[in-house]
Amino acid sequence: MCHHNTFLVYQSMRDATLERWEKITHVSIGFAWTVAALFGIAGYSTFRALSQGESINDSIDCK
């Protein structure tokens, strides 16, 4: 979904250069990864007692 907006973002940049574009993409992906990791860690630590190991394997009947 995001790749459709890349042209609009690039064209809206002042002094659009490849170096600036690389910096913007790396910073935004790094920020998104950090937020996702923080939410994942917070969710796991909050609901760790309620999670079950191997829940996918338990729901599949392997007969």
Side-chain angles (χ1 to χ4, degrees):
M1 298 300 265
C2 181
H3 64 280
H4 296 291
N5 296 325
T6 56
F7 300 111
L8 295 172
V9 172
Y10 184 78
Q11 291 173 353
S12 69
M13 290 173 47
R14 271 183 271 138
D15 301 325
T17 62
L18 184 59
E19 291 82 20
R20 291 187 78 203
W21 179 248
E22 287 179 357
K23 183 177 181 180
I24 288 172
T25 55
H26 284 94
V27 168
S28 61
I29 290 172
F31 178 74
W33 185 89
T34 303
V35 170
L38 289 174
F39 273 95
I41 291 168
Y44 178 73
S45 63
T46 301
F47 299 107
R48 179 179 22 191
L50 300 174
S51 64
Q52 299 174 356
E54 309 248 353
S55 60
I56 294 174
N57 290 337
D58 291 341
S59 63
I60 298 174
D61 189 13
C62 298
K63 289 184 180 178

